[in-house]
Amino acid sequence: MKRLFLIALPWFVFVLTGVALAEDTEATFELPVGTMTLQAPQDTEYKATLSPVTFPHSLHFSYSCQECHHTWDGNSPIKSCGTSGCHENFWAPKPGQADVSDNNIKSMVGAFHQVCRDCHRNEADQQKAAGSKNIVTGPVACTGCHPDPHSKVVNSDESLSIPMGIITIEAPEEVEATRGPVGFPHGLHLKFACKECHHDWDGESEVEPCDACHSETEPAGTRSIKDEANQMYFLAAYHNNCLTCHRDINRKRRAAMAQEDINKADIPKATPLNCSGCHSSS
Protein backbone atom coordinates (compact mmCIF):
# COMPACT_ATOMS: atom_id res chain seq x y z
CA MET A 1 0.00 0.00 0.00
CA LYS A 2 1.36 3.37 -0.95
CA ARG A 3 2.24 5.51 2.05
CA LEU A 4 0.27 8.71 2.48
CA PHE A 5 2.18 11.85 3.32
CA LEU A 6 0.93 14.41 5.78
CA ILE A 7 0.88 17.95 4.57
CA ALA A 8 -0.50 20.82 6.48
CA LEU A 9 -3.38 23.20 6.21
CA PRO A 10 -2.36 26.72 7.22
CA TRP A 11 -4.26 27.98 10.23
CA PHE A 12 -3.38 31.62 9.86
CA VAL A 13 -4.67 34.60 7.93
CA PHE A 14 -2.76 37.82 7.58
CA VAL A 15 -5.00 40.64 8.80
CA LEU A 16 -4.97 43.94 6.96
CA THR A 17 -6.27 47.14 8.48
CA GLY A 18 -6.91 50.11 6.26
CA VAL A 19 -6.12 50.46 2.58
CA ALA A 20 -2.59 50.97 1.30
CA LEU A 21 -3.19 54.26 -0.48
CA ALA A 22 -0.40 56.68 -1.25
CA GLU A 23 -1.71 59.19 1.27
CA ASP A 24 -2.48 56.59 3.95
CA THR A 25 0.44 56.10 6.31
CA GLU A 26 -1.55 54.18 8.94
CA ALA A 27 -2.54 51.07 6.95
CA THR A 28 -0.93 47.96 8.43
CA PHE A 29 -1.15 44.19 8.36
CA GLU A 30 -0.32 41.74 11.12
CA LEU A 31 2.60 39.47 10.26
CA PRO A 32 2.69 36.22 12.30
CA VAL A 33 6.16 35.58 13.72
CA GLY A 34 7.66 32.58 15.45
CA THR A 35 6.54 29.01 14.83
CA MET A 36 3.28 27.51 13.59
CA THR A 37 2.16 23.90 13.30
CA LEU A 38 0.80 22.76 9.96
CA GLN A 39 -1.41 19.70 10.14
CA ALA A 40 -3.93 17.81 8.05
CA PRO A 41 -7.60 18.71 8.53
CA GLN A 42 -9.67 16.17 10.45
CA ASP A 43 -12.31 15.66 7.76
CA THR A 44 -10.05 14.45 4.92
CA GLU A 45 -10.86 11.19 3.12
CA TYR A 46 -7.61 9.52 4.16
CA LYS A 47 -6.00 9.59 7.57
CA ALA A 48 -2.52 11.12 7.70
CA THR A 49 0.24 8.70 8.65
CA LEU A 50 3.01 11.24 9.24
CA SER A 51 3.26 13.83 11.98
CA PRO A 52 2.36 17.53 11.71
CA VAL A 53 4.99 19.96 10.45
CA THR A 54 6.52 22.50 12.80
CA PHE A 55 7.06 25.45 10.46
CA PRO A 56 9.46 28.23 11.55
CA HIS A 57 7.73 31.13 9.80
CA SER A 58 10.24 33.73 11.03
CA LEU A 59 13.17 31.85 9.48
CA HIS A 60 11.61 32.33 6.05
CA PHE A 61 11.58 36.14 6.06
CA SER A 62 14.69 36.13 3.89
CA TYR A 63 12.31 35.20 1.07
CA SER A 64 9.59 37.27 -0.53
CA CYS A 65 6.09 36.60 0.86
CA GLN A 66 5.01 35.84 -2.71
CA GLU A 67 7.49 32.98 -3.00
CA CYS A 68 4.88 30.95 -1.11
CA HIS A 69 1.77 33.14 -1.23
CA HIS A 70 2.12 33.33 -4.99
CA THR A 71 -1.30 34.80 -5.80
CA TRP A 72 -1.17 37.53 -3.14
CA ASP A 73 -1.60 41.02 -4.58
CA GLY A 74 0.36 42.65 -1.76
CA ASN A 75 -2.72 44.40 -0.40
CA SER A 76 -5.62 42.02 0.28
CA PRO A 77 -5.70 39.62 3.25
CA ILE A 78 -3.63 36.49 2.64
CA LYS A 79 -5.97 33.52 2.36
CA SER A 80 -5.45 29.92 3.39
CA CYS A 81 -3.83 27.74 0.73
CA GLY A 82 -6.93 25.53 0.90
CA THR A 83 -9.34 28.34 0.04
CA SER A 84 -11.98 27.47 -2.55
CA GLY A 85 -10.48 27.85 -6.00
CA CYS A 86 -6.92 27.33 -4.73
CA HIS A 87 -5.45 24.08 -3.35
CA GLU A 88 -8.81 22.98 -1.99
CA ASN A 89 -8.28 19.26 -2.73
CA PHE A 90 -6.12 18.04 0.12
CA TRP A 91 -5.11 14.68 -1.35
CA ALA A 92 -4.09 14.01 -4.94
CA PRO A 93 -6.48 11.70 -6.86
CA LYS A 94 -5.64 8.00 -6.94
CA PRO A 95 -3.98 6.63 -10.10
CA GLY A 96 -6.55 6.36 -12.87
CA GLN A 97 -8.92 8.84 -11.27
CA ALA A 98 -9.60 12.17 -12.92
CA ASP A 99 -8.44 15.28 -11.15
CA VAL A 100 -11.53 16.64 -9.41
CA SER A 101 -10.11 20.15 -9.63
CA ASP A 102 -11.77 22.00 -12.51
CA ASN A 103 -8.70 24.12 -13.21
CA ASN A 104 -6.16 21.34 -12.57
CA ILE A 105 -4.62 23.08 -9.55
CA LYS A 106 -2.32 20.87 -7.52
CA SER A 107 -3.61 19.18 -4.40
CA MET A 108 -2.57 20.62 -1.05
CA VAL A 109 -0.18 17.70 -0.58
CA GLY A 110 1.44 18.31 -3.96
CA ALA A 111 1.59 22.08 -3.55
CA PHE A 112 3.31 21.98 -0.17
CA HIS A 113 5.86 19.39 -1.26
CA GLN A 114 6.63 21.31 -4.43
CA VAL A 115 7.07 24.66 -2.68
CA CYS A 116 8.93 23.47 0.44
CA ARG A 117 10.90 20.39 -0.54
CA ASP A 118 11.80 21.58 -4.04
CA CYS A 119 12.97 24.93 -2.67
CA HIS A 120 15.22 23.13 -0.18
CA ARG A 121 16.62 20.97 -2.99
CA ASN A 122 17.23 23.95 -5.26
CA GLU A 123 19.07 25.80 -2.50
CA ALA A 124 21.30 22.78 -1.89
CA ASP A 125 22.04 22.48 -5.63
CA GLN A 126 22.93 26.17 -5.86
CA GLN A 127 25.29 25.95 -2.90
CA LYS A 128 26.97 22.85 -4.33
CA ALA A 129 27.36 24.55 -7.72
CA ALA A 130 29.00 27.50 -5.95
CA GLY A 131 31.54 25.12 -4.41
CA SER A 132 30.21 25.24 -0.86
CA LYS A 133 31.26 22.34 1.35
CA ASN A 134 28.81 23.19 4.14
CA ILE A 135 25.29 22.99 2.70
CA VAL A 136 22.78 25.01 4.74
CA THR A 137 19.14 24.57 3.77
CA GLY A 138 15.89 23.06 4.97
CA PRO A 139 15.18 19.32 5.23
CA VAL A 140 14.38 17.14 2.22
CA ALA A 141 13.78 13.74 3.85
CA CYS A 142 10.30 12.99 5.21
CA THR A 143 11.43 12.82 8.85
CA GLY A 144 13.12 16.20 8.53
CA CYS A 145 9.70 17.86 8.45
CA HIS A 146 7.51 15.07 9.87
CA PRO A 147 9.43 13.92 12.98
CA ASP A 148 8.79 10.62 14.70
CA PRO A 149 7.68 10.65 17.47
CA HIS A 150 5.22 13.38 16.65
CA SER A 151 6.27 16.84 17.72
CA LYS A 152 4.11 18.97 19.98
CA VAL A 153 1.67 21.39 18.39
CA VAL A 154 3.21 24.85 18.71
CA ASN A 155 1.48 27.98 17.44
CA SER A 156 2.96 31.33 18.31
CA ASP A 157 0.35 34.01 18.87
CA GLU A 158 2.79 36.87 18.35
CA SER A 159 2.74 39.19 15.36
CA LEU A 160 4.24 42.43 14.12
CA SER A 161 2.31 45.35 12.62
CA ILE A 162 3.77 46.00 9.18
CA PRO A 163 3.08 49.40 7.56
CA MET A 164 1.45 49.26 4.14
CA GLY A 165 1.35 52.93 3.22
CA ILE A 166 3.91 55.66 2.70
CA ILE A 167 6.81 56.02 5.13
CA THR A 168 8.50 59.42 5.09
CA ILE A 169 12.29 59.09 5.28
CA GLU A 170 14.01 62.25 6.46
CA ALA A 171 17.60 63.17 7.19
CA PRO A 172 18.67 63.14 10.87
CA GLU A 173 17.85 66.35 12.74
CA GLU A 174 21.49 67.39 13.03
CA VAL A 175 21.98 67.19 9.26
CA GLU A 176 21.17 70.18 7.07
CA ALA A 177 19.56 68.37 4.15
CA THR A 178 19.90 69.81 0.66
CA ARG A 179 17.03 67.75 -0.73
CA GLY A 180 13.49 67.02 0.42
CA PRO A 181 12.41 63.87 2.28
CA VAL A 182 11.64 60.59 0.51
CA GLY A 183 8.09 59.25 0.48
CA PHE A 184 8.83 55.52 0.58
CA PRO A 185 5.94 53.24 -0.57
CA HIS A 186 6.56 50.39 1.85
CA GLY A 187 3.56 48.35 0.70
CA LEU A 188 4.85 48.25 -2.88
CA HIS A 189 8.08 46.66 -1.64
CA LEU A 190 6.45 43.65 0.04
CA LYS A 191 7.14 41.69 -3.15
CA PHE A 192 10.75 41.61 -1.95
CA ALA A 193 12.08 39.74 1.07
CA CYS A 194 12.06 41.76 4.30
CA LYS A 195 15.75 41.02 4.81
CA GLU A 196 16.66 42.52 1.45
CA CYS A 197 16.58 45.84 3.30
CA HIS A 198 16.40 44.90 6.99
CA HIS A 199 19.46 42.69 6.61
CA ASP A 200 20.23 42.30 10.34
CA TRP A 201 16.64 41.63 11.44
CA ASP A 202 16.16 38.42 13.42
CA GLY A 203 12.63 37.90 12.07
CA GLU A 204 10.87 38.33 15.41
CA SER A 205 11.95 41.54 17.16
CA GLU A 206 10.55 44.95 16.31
CA VAL A 207 12.25 46.27 13.18
CA GLU A 208 14.50 49.21 13.99
CA PRO A 209 14.90 52.18 11.63
CA CYS A 210 17.94 52.03 9.38
CA ASP A 211 19.66 54.94 11.10
CA ALA A 212 19.67 52.99 14.38
CA CYS A 213 22.68 51.19 12.86
CA HIS A 214 23.70 53.44 9.97
CA SER A 215 23.91 56.39 12.34
CA GLU A 216 26.98 58.23 11.06
CA THR A 217 25.98 61.63 9.72
CA GLU A 218 29.30 62.33 8.00
CA PRO A 219 31.30 60.06 5.68
CA ALA A 220 34.19 58.27 7.35
CA GLY A 221 36.14 57.98 4.12
CA THR A 222 35.80 59.85 0.86
CA ARG A 223 32.53 61.49 -0.24
CA SER A 224 31.80 58.46 -2.44
CA ILE A 225 28.89 56.31 -1.29
CA LYS A 226 30.79 53.31 -2.69
CA ASP A 227 33.66 53.81 -0.25
CA GLU A 228 33.65 50.77 2.10
CA ALA A 229 34.57 53.06 4.98
CA ASN A 230 31.12 54.65 4.62
CA GLN A 231 29.03 51.56 5.40
CA MET A 232 27.61 53.16 8.55
CA TYR A 233 27.05 56.54 6.85
CA PHE A 234 23.26 56.88 6.60
CA LEU A 235 23.32 58.56 3.18
CA ALA A 236 25.53 55.86 1.65
CA ALA A 237 23.44 53.03 3.15
CA TYR A 238 20.17 54.29 1.67
CA HIS A 239 21.57 55.14 -1.74
CA ASN A 240 23.53 51.92 -2.12
CA ASN A 241 20.59 49.74 -1.13
CA CYS A 242 17.88 51.54 -3.09
CA LEU A 243 19.77 52.51 -6.24
CA THR A 244 21.46 49.12 -6.62
CA CYS A 245 18.07 47.39 -6.50
CA HIS A 246 16.44 49.93 -8.84
CA ARG A 247 19.21 49.54 -11.42
CA ASP A 248 18.84 45.77 -11.31
CA ILE A 249 15.06 46.02 -11.83
CA ASN A 250 15.50 48.41 -14.75
CA ARG A 251 17.98 46.02 -16.38
CA LYS A 252 15.43 43.22 -16.05
CA ARG A 253 12.78 45.55 -17.48
CA ARG A 254 14.89 46.29 -20.58
CA ALA A 255 15.62 42.60 -21.07
CA ALA A 256 11.92 41.74 -20.76
CA MET A 257 10.88 44.46 -23.22
CA ALA A 258 13.35 43.07 -25.76
CA GLN A 259 11.42 39.79 -25.88
CA GLU A 260 8.84 39.63 -28.64
CA ASP A 261 6.30 37.35 -26.96
CA ILE A 262 6.47 38.80 -23.45
CA ASN A 263 3.24 39.37 -21.55
CA LYS A 264 3.02 43.05 -20.58
CA ALA A 265 1.99 42.06 -17.06
CA ASP A 266 5.36 40.30 -16.68
CA ILE A 267 7.40 43.40 -17.49
CA PRO A 268 8.79 45.01 -14.30
CA LYS A 269 7.76 48.60 -13.73
CA ALA A 270 10.41 51.29 -14.16
CA THR A 271 12.03 52.48 -10.94
CA PRO A 272 13.49 55.95 -10.22
CA LEU A 273 17.23 56.54 -10.45
CA ASN A 274 17.53 60.32 -10.44
CA CYS A 275 17.28 62.54 -7.36
CA SER A 276 13.87 64.02 -8.13
CA GLY A 277 12.43 60.54 -8.64
CA CYS A 278 12.70 59.85 -4.89
CA HIS A 279 13.15 63.22 -3.15
CA SER A 280 10.25 65.63 -2.81
CA SER A 281 10.77 69.26 -3.75
CA SER A 282 10.21 70.50 -0.20
Side-chain angles (χ1 to χ4, degrees), residues 180-244:
V182 173
F184 178 69
H186 191 250
L188 295 181
H189 288 74
L190 294 180
K191 66 181 68 174
F192 304 101
C194 301
K195 291 186 179 181
E196 287 282 335
C197 297
H198 306 289
H199 52 91
D200 286 337
W201 183 43
D202 63 7
E204 296 189 5
S205 306
E206 290 290 337
V207 178
E208 295 184 342
C210 301
D211 58 9
C213 294
H214 302 279
S215 56
E216 295 179 4
T217 57
E218 290 293 334
T222 65
R223 301 298 299 182
S224 172
I225 62 173
K226 294 296 183 182
D227 191 330
E228 291 186 1
N230 291 333
Q231 286 186 358
M232 294 296 117
Y233 177 35
F234 83 98
L235 195 67
Y238 274 115
H239 282 82
N240 281 330
N241 203 53
C242 299
L243 288 176
T244 299

Side-chain angles (χ1 to χ4, degrees), residues 78-152:
I78 292 182
K79 299 178 181 179
S80 163
C81 302
T83 299
S84 177
C86 295
H87 306 288
E88 56 187 304
N89 300 317
F90 189 79
W91 299 107
K94 292 181 178 180
Q97 289 183 338
D99 190 343
V100 295
S101 173
D102 292 337
N103 48 7
N104 202 30
I105 294 179
K106 281 185 177 292
S107 66
M108 181 79 76
V109 172
F112 267 98
H113 277 89
Q114 179 172 318
V115 170
C116 304
R117 184 189 58 194
D118 289 4
C119 179
H120 295 172
R121 284 175 173 166
N122 290 338
E123 281 203 336
D125 290 342
Q126 291 171 7
Q127 292 175 44
K128 290 176 183 177
S132 176
K133 301 296 184 182
N134 184 25
I135 306 301
V136 180
T137 185
V140 172
C142 301
T143 54
C145 291
H146 306 279
D148 185 18
H150 292 195
S151 56
K152 294 181 179 179

Side-chain angles (χ1 to χ4, degrees), residues 5-9 38-44 46-48 50 52-53 90-91:
F5 292 88
L6 167 68
I7 280 295
L9 183 66
L38 309 178
Q39 51 191 334
Q42 298 298 316
D43 57 351
T44 55
Y46 308 109
K47 185 175 178 60
L50 297 182
V53 175
F90 189 79
W91 299 107

